């Protein structure tokens, strides 16, 4: 070979570098698209997980709030019954579920039974009263 046909060391290195850069550029574009798709997929999954977690948290909070309201209603009805001289708040069971109050136990008279129901109905948050008090003299 003559020196004019033989690639110089610098030329060969430059040629190899150019080929490598082109090759890497092609790979890089494909990899970037794949990485971009993976990133988009990961973001979408994270957003969905966040939405699901938010919904579960809100549902749990609503359940706790409902339970707290029922407990507050029960306490308020019991307090109202305790203030009445004819009713025994200790003997009357007050159960509240979803704003519906159930009264059970003894009442000394029919009038006291009716008063117990009115006391329960007057409490904020009560939607209905099931008066199961039994008149016992």
């Amino acid at each position: 070979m003559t020196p004019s046909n033989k690639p110089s060391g610098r030329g060969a290195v430059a040629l190899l570098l150019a080929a490598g850069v082109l090759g890497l550029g092609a790979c890089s574009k494909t990899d970037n698209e794949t990485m971009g798709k993976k990133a988009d997929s990961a973001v979408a999954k994270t957003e969905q997980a966040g939405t699901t977690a938010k919904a579960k948290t809100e549902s749990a909070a609503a359940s706790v709030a409902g339970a707290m309201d029922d407990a507050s209603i029960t306490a308020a009805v019991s307090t109202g019954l305790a203030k009445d001289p004819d009713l025994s708040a200790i003997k009357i069971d007050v159960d509240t579920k979803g704003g519906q109050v159930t009264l059970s136990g003894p009442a000394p008279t029919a009038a006291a039974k009716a008063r117990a129901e009115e006391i329960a109905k007057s409490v904020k948050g009560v939607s209905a009263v099931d008066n199961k008090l039994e008149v016992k003299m």
Side-chain angles (χ1 to χ4, degrees), residues 11-25:
V13 171
L15 183 62
L16 286 173
L17 283 174
V21 168
L22 288 174
L24 286 176

Side-chain angles (χ1 to χ4, degrees), residues 6 10 12 42 55 59 68 73 82 87-88 113 118-119 133:
K6 191 177 190 181
R10 286 186 181 174
S59 176
M68 291 299 291
I73 290 170
L87 296 170
S88 174
K113 177 180 177 176
E118 290 306 312
I119 290 169
L133 293 178

Side-chain angles (χ1 to χ4, degrees), residues 46-62:
T46 301
E47 287 174 350
Q48 180 60 39
T51 301
T52 301
K54 180 181 177 186
K56 287 181 180 180
T57 301
E58 288 172 350
S59 176

Side-chain angles (χ1 to χ4, degrees), residues 40-99:
D40 289 345
S41 176
V43 167
K45 287 178 183 176
T46 301
E47 287 174 350
Q48 180 60 39
T51 301
T52 301
K54 180 181 177 186
K56 287 181 180 180
T57 301
E58 288 172 350
S59 176
S63 295
V64 170
M68 291 299 291
D69 288 344
D70 287 345
S72 298
I73 290 170
T74 298
V77 171
S78 295
T79 300
L81 295 174
K83 291 178 182 178
D84 190 291
D86 293 334
L87 296 170
S88 174
I90 296 173
K91 293 181 182 176
I92 296 176
D93 181 45
V94 180
D95 184 40
T96 308
K97 187 168 187 173

Side-chain angles (χ1 to χ4, degrees), residues 3 13 18 23 37 39 46 49-50 52 96 99 103 109 114-115 119-120 123 129 135-136:
V13 171
K37 288 178 184 177
T46 301
T52 301
T96 308
L103 302 173
T109 64
R115 253 191 339 274
I119 290 169
V123 172
V129 176
V135 177
K136 301 214 177 182

